[in-house]
Amino acid sequence: MCGIVGYVGGQQAAPLLTEGLARLEHRGYDSAGIAVVGSAVRVVKRAGRVQELVGAMPKRIAGRTGIGHTRWATHGPASDVNAHPHTDATGTVAVVHNGILDNAGALRRRLEDAGVELASDTDTEVIAHLVARSEADTLEAKVVEALAVIEGTYGLAVVHADFPDRVVVARNGSPLLVGVGEKEMFVASDLAALVRHTTTVAHLDDGELATITASGFTTFRADLTRTDTSAHRVDVDPSAYEHGATGTEPRMHTEMLEQPASVERTLRGRLDERFGTAHLGGLGMDPRELRAVQRVKILGCGSAYYAGQMGAQLIEELARVPADAEAASEFRYRDAVIDPDTLYVAVSQSGETVDTLLAVEEIRRKGGRVVGLVNVVGSAIARACDGGIYLHAGPETAVASTKAVTTMFVGFALLALQLGRVRDLSVADGKRLVAGLGRLPEQIEDVLAGEDRLADIGKTLARAESMFFVGRVRGYPVAREGAQKLKEISYRHAEAYQMSELKHGPLALISPDVPTVAIVPDDELTDRNIGALHEIAARGGPLVVVTHPGVDLGDLVAERIDVPRNEKELDPLLLTIPLQLVAYHAALTLGHDVDRPRNLAKSVTVE
Ligand code: AGP
């Protein structure tokens, strides 16, 4: 949440900073600002989007060192004054900050008692005052002194009028990367802001600080001793990041359409047709270790958690190993019992969701083994795990996750296959699933080709203030994910329920004004599911059913959406995709900014 950029080098900093912020806007978009160090520190900041900041920029704002920020509000509403950077009273120091300071209230009071007038409602402003009040000789030592009294999480960047050749950054719980250029250096909270300039980066660790100057960077700890963090080239295609800053088509739409290719990438080189299994070298587990796994526990948040529920179902079916998924945001608070025979799986697109990261750290502290299903290479969660499977979905910047979710499903299918094949899953069944996985990209194309009709259904659903999404067993996480997509971008109330639980309460809400989207694949539960559809129809509830061709729904249904058949274990993936498109078109119909839904941001790095 929130995006940070920083620059030191031979070019004018301001345009580089605003361009970097535009590429980070998915991380927070309620206000934005920059500070540039020339003959003094100059700050420009505005509530609203980066575009509004660019519009407010004075013609000349000279300086070759600077920092910038795009904000997702935590302390105080989105306003010009609460936007970052924050400065001390004299405007000597400017700070941008991601994360939350836990003792900001106490620090604010202490500063006020000392006669400091605070301009904003934010926690961040105290850092600027603390740095400015330090009597240390170097900017590094001033920042360290300020950090010594701060409690909480941060990724922060500081500039100072007396040290115009440098930016000092510090990390504790919020990601920061240093980007190495030719006689210029960058810093950012996300690779997306760097790739246009460099793909040689250094990831800072928690507790680490860095100084960047035009000629290089140094890293150190709070006692000012040097660390040996070095830069390495990351294997990314910079063109894959281009759309976010320049395209006009909503990013979510592009990302949905990329799913055949992203799923293909997740599968690439990992399927073994001959032995009907998967190769997942990144797990770092040999067959004996895989066989020794007694349970699987999957942890993720939001859509990643729902993908985890799909994954747990796959693992139980294919490997016959007890498996379940839990919201990492709950797990980490309940002092969970960690079992050495359980394989813990952390699933995350960004690799920086703080609840998932803290769950991973807690498990490892207690001696558990955690592997990651993560999209962003080198991210905090990926680095905190014992091993893992990179998703290779490509950059995902729309807040509503689509291609990451479907690649998570594929990652779980590969894991389930490998766990199954070291147990009792037959070669024949393994080959059946390998073939099914191989068919997915083309079948996803088929689903996407039905967009026009899904758009009409989305328009119809947009009229309802409230609706249900229901499914059973494999279909239930699909229903949860469908409801999640609809609510986060259309702001309509969408409640996911197990099909079987409807009659235990929520059926009371069914009426002609409350549609139900039902997931009814052609499997061993179809008849049961059709029974539930009758119960809904009997109460006048309009039905949209996602199903397979040939399933006889009689005249129960207002709309049916057929997806291609694959192996039944793999059904959730193809059943999920139409719901993405329906949600997208519902949101467009209602005139919402689908890529930047209200109150949300792409990565949830605050607790
Ligand atoms: C998905 O549409 C949501 N924006 C959100 O639930 C997301 O999946 C969740 O915050 C987890 O993010 P992660 O995959 O980056 O960990």
Side-chain angles (χ1 to χ4, degrees):
M1 283 180 153
C2 306
I4 288 178
V5 289
Y7 175 79
V8 187
Q11 304 185 59
Q12 287 300 324
L16 288 170
L17 295 172
T18 50
E19 188 261 346
L21 291 180
R23 288 171 189 274
L24 293 187
E25 225 184 0
H26 56 281
R27 301 183 68 97
Y29 33 83
D30 58 39
S31 48
I34 63 167
V36 172
V37 193
S39 48
V41 173
R42 283 192 69 188
V43 173
V44 188
K45 52 187 195 170
R46 283 289 176 283
R49 301 282 160 88
V50 174
Q51 224 20 61
E52 285 164 62
L53 173 71
V54 172
M57 203 67 75
K59 280 235 165 12
R60 272 194 63 74
I61 172 161
R64 298 173 200 279
T65 297
I67 53 177
H69 189 264
T70 176
R71 179 174 186 246
W72 184 86
T74 58
H75 289 61
S79 63
D80 290 356
V81 76
N82 286 337
H84 297 215
H86 289 283
T87 59
D88 66 308
T90 61
T92 306
V93 175
V95 178
V96 295
H97 165 225
N98 292 350
I100 293 182
L101 301 189
D102 298 335
N103 60 341
L107 292 173
R108 284 176 71 92
R109 279 191 298 280
R110 204 189 297 169
L111 285 165
E112 279 166 347
D113 289 348
V116 174
E117 274 186 40
L118 291 155
S120 74
D121 308 316
T122 67
D123 50 350
T124 304
E125 187 186 343
V126 299
I127 306 171
H129 293 287
L130 291 169
V131 173
R133 291 163 71 84
S134 164
E135 288 174 5
D137 293 340
T138 64
L139 181 53
E140 291 74 2
K142 288 176 188 291
V143 172
V144 162
E145 217 173 271
L147 294 185
V149 297
I150 282 168
E151 290 162 21
T153 55
Y154 47 82
L156 57 86
V158 185
V159 289
H160 194 298
D162 297 344
F163 305 92
D165 66 333
R166 61 194 55 212
V167 177
V168 173
V169 299
R171 175 193 163 137
N172 183 38
S174 280
L176 275 182
L177 292 92
V178 174
V180 180
E182 268 296 311
K183 298 200 180 109
E184 57 183 5
M185 299 291 294
F186 302 84
V187 67
S189 52
D190 190 315
L191 194 60
L194 300 179
V195 287
R196 204 176 136 248
H197 308 287
T198 179
T199 51
T200 302
V201 302
H203 289 88
L204 296 190
D205 280 327
D206 281 343
E208 210 170 16
L209 296 94
T211 300
I212 64 165
T213 62
S215 56
F217 73 100
T218 51
T219 56
F220 52 98
R221 299 217 162 265
D223 58 4
L224 294 174
T225 55
R226 294 279 282 271
T227 57
D228 58 4
T229 299
S230 58
H232 59 279
R233 190 175 281 273
V234 285
D235 182 21
V236 293
D237 171 12
S239 68
Y241 291 80
E242 275 316 305
H243 181 287
T246 53
T248 49
E249 184 191 11
R251 187 68 200 161
M252 181 184 173
H253 193 248
T254 316
E255 289 168 359
M256 286 188 294
L257 299 192
E258 281 169 5
Q259 291 178 103
S262 57
V263 163
E264 203 163 311
R265 279 198 301 274
T266 312
L267 291 172
R268 194 169 295 155
R270 287 168 165 167
L271 289 178
D272 181 337
E273 289 176 24
R274 184 151 169 239
F275 296 106
T277 188
H279 292 301
L280 299 168
L283 288 181
M285 294 174 76
D286 64 26
R288 257 170 217 273
E289 290 172 295
L290 288 168
R291 264 205 77 96
V293 170
Q294 299 291 312
R295 295 187 69 87
V296 177
K297 175 100 191 167
I298 298 165
L299 298 160
C301 293
S303 291
Y305 161 44
Y306 304 142
Q309 284 196 309
M310 298 178 199
Q313 176 66 26
L314 266 165
I315 289 165
E316 289 213 341
E317 282 191 81
L318 302 187
R320 304 306 295 155
V321 175
D324 75 314
E326 182 175 343
S329 46
E330 284 286 297
F331 176 90
R332 54 167 289 226
Y333 286 110
R334 67 175 177 79
D335 196 15
V337 176
I338 300 304
D339 168 21
D341 298 324
T342 294
L343 177 65
Y344 294 88
V345 184
V347 55
S348 173
Q349 187 288 124
S350 60
E352 59 183 71
T353 300
V354 72
D355 287 318
T356 310
L357 178 62
L358 293 178
V360 170
E361 289 172 352
E362 172 73 356
I363 295 164
R364 296 206 60 205
R365 253 195 305 276
K366 292 179 171 173
R369 183 200 280 260
V370 198
V371 296
L373 249 73
V374 174
N375 193 33
V376 176
V377 175
S379 54
I381 294 172
R383 289 188 297 143
C385 287
D386 293 289
I389 305 171
Y390 277 121
L391 299 173
H392 301 301
E396 186 183 76
T397 56
V399 168
S401 185
T402 54
K403 63 175 180 170
V405 172
T406 45
T407 55
M408 285 169 189
F409 179 85
V410 172
F412 281 120
L414 293 168
L415 178 62
L417 191 56
Q418 196 170 21
L419 284 171
R421 287 290 292 116
V422 296
R423 290 182 172 70
D424 296 333
L425 188 74
S426 68
V427 186
D429 270 333
K431 286 184 172 180
R432 175 175 70 77
L433 288 152
V434 166
L437 286 164
R439 287 196 297 278
L440 284 173
E442 207 174 315
Q443 292 182 315
I444 297 171
E445 294 280 11
D446 292 345
V447 178
L448 296 170
E451 179 168 359
D452 288 352
R453 187 141 175 277
L454 297 169
D456 291 340
I457 295 171
K459 275 180 204 147
T460 310
L461 285 180
R463 284 190 222 124
E465 289 293 335
S466 183
M467 66 202 86
F468 281 104
F469 281 69
V470 295
R472 195 188 301 259
V473 187
R474 289 184 208 102
Y476 177 52
V478 175
R480 295 191 87 181
E481 172 55 11
Q484 162 96 337
K485 283 292 92 82
L486 200 105
K487 17 185 185 213
E488 68 182 329
I489 54 173
S490 78
Y491 320 146
R492 293 303 198 214
H493 174 242
E495 188 168 349
Y497 238 87
Q498 294 98 332
M499 191 93 88
S500 48
E501 283 287 302
L502 269 186
K503 56 184 172 298
H504 296 291
L507 206 55
L509 294 172
I510 296 291
S511 79
D513 299 327
V514 180
T516 299
V517 178
I519 314 303
V520 185
D522 187 4
D523 61 12
E524 65 282 8
L525 300 168
T526 313
D527 291 346
R528 285 255 165 260
N529 286 332
I530 290 178
L533 298 188
H534 277 283
E535 290 163 10
I536 296 165
R539 274 115 194 135
L543 280 162
V544 174
V545 179
V546 189
T547 184
H548 287 122
V551 171
D552 182 5
L553 301 172
D555 55 4
L556 281 174
V557 162
E559 296 284 359
R560 76 178 279 158
I561 301 167
D562 284 320
V563 300
R565 286 166 191 276
N566 195 306
E567 303 305 326
K568 64 180 181 185
E569 297 91 335
L570 304 178
D571 279 344
L573 186 146
L574 293 168
L575 295 164
T576 296
I577 291 172
L579 303 181
Q580 302 170 343
L581 285 154
V582 163
Y584 171 79
H585 284 285
L588 280 191
T589 306
L590 294 164
H592 300 319
D593 180 345
V594 286
D595 284 348
R596 296 180 183 87
R598 72 182 181 203
N599 305 341
L600 300 178
K602 182 63 178 162
S603 305
V604 184
T605 55
V606 292
E607 297 180 49

